[in-house]
Amino acid sequence: MAIPHRGTTSSTTYFVTSGTFCKTNILQSDAMAELFCHTLFRYRDAKKFRAHSFVVMPNHFHLILTVAEGLTLERAMQLIKGGFSREAGRRLGARYEIWQKSFVDRRVRDAVELARYTAYIQENPVRAGLVGVAGEYRYSSLNPAFIMDELPQRLKPIFTDARLMHR
């Protein structure tokens, strides 16, 4: 089944989830998780999208991204998933189906939704029993080694208390 065309999606922020083929734990090894992160940031650095939050789980990933001007969400996901599959085959000898068809996405409409999706992403490894504290998980945007992109202005929290603005 083909992915429905959404029209122009550039400059829109999404919470996206995609799973591995048959929910296999393809991304559980350090080599595969690191390769996924490398692929994600290679396309981000090429300005295909802005990455705001992510987590790589053993059999899926979650990502909050803003699609670059002139691109669609479908194209950004094709770059991430296809680029990863190609590199996994080339570098690690992966000769099997890696991804489920398609992906699930939700448009992030405001700062409240962004906070909810971000918390979900950050706590995913804890809920799965992979770590005791979210900040301990290596393959997420909480890892200080990953520099995440600034949020679009419309999604930044609005502070009504001036004391909170300087924290």
Side-chain angles (χ1 to χ4, degrees):
M1 176 198 257
I3 300 171
H5 180 68
R6 291 174 179 77
T8 303
T9 59
S10 59
S11 299
T12 301
T13 302
Y14 293 94
F15 168 74
V16 182
T17 299
S18 188
T20 57
F21 185 70
C22 294
K23 301 266 188 212
T24 54
N25 289 335
I26 293 169
L27 301 172
Q28 75 180 352
S29 73
D30 288 336
M32 291 297 247
E34 287 169 7
L35 180 59
F36 181 86
C37 293
H38 171 78
T39 303
L40 177 68
F41 284 94
R42 179 167 51 104
Y43 288 111
R44 188 281 304 263
D45 293 346
K47 309 270 189 249
K48 302 299 182 185
F49 52 83
R50 286 180 283 154
H52 309 296
S53 186
F54 78 97
V55 67
V56 181
M57 300 295 288
N59 64 4
H60 67 281
F61 70 88
H62 299 292
L63 171 64
I64 297 175
L65 74 139
T66 301
V67 179
E69 194 66 41
L71 241 61
T72 62
L73 176 60
E74 290 81 3
R75 179 64 179 143
M77 293 303 294
Q78 180 184 37
L79 291 170
I80 294 167
K81 291 170 62 174
F84 173 81
S85 296
R86 184 176 47 258
E87 286 300 308
R90 189 175 73 76
R91 292 184 187 188
L92 305 173
R95 303 280 181 251
Y96 43 81
E97 193 77 30
I98 292 178
W99 299 109
Q100 286 181 351
K101 302 278 187 241
S102 195
F103 54 88
V104 176
D105 65 277
R106 298 286 179 262
R107 185 171 173 263
V108 182
R109 295 176 292 186
D110 56 36
V112 173
E113 282 187 355
L114 177 72
R116 190 176 80 236
Y117 291 135
T118 301
Y120 181 84
I121 286 172
Q122 291 174 350
E123 290 300 317
N124 208 238
V126 176
R127 283 190 308 277
L130 300 175
V131 292
V133 177
E136 296 173 350
Y137 195 66
R138 291 176 53 190
Y139 305 111
S140 88
S141 48
L142 287 179
N143 182 335
F146 299 115
I147 307 301
M148 304 312 295
D149 294 315
E150 187 172 320
L151 292 165
Q153 188 63 42
R154 67 182 174 74
L155 295 177
K156 290 182 180 178
I158 300 170
F159 295 104
T160 55
D161 186 338
R163 293 173 296 165
L164 297 175
M165 292 176 58
H166 299 291
R167 289 188 180 179

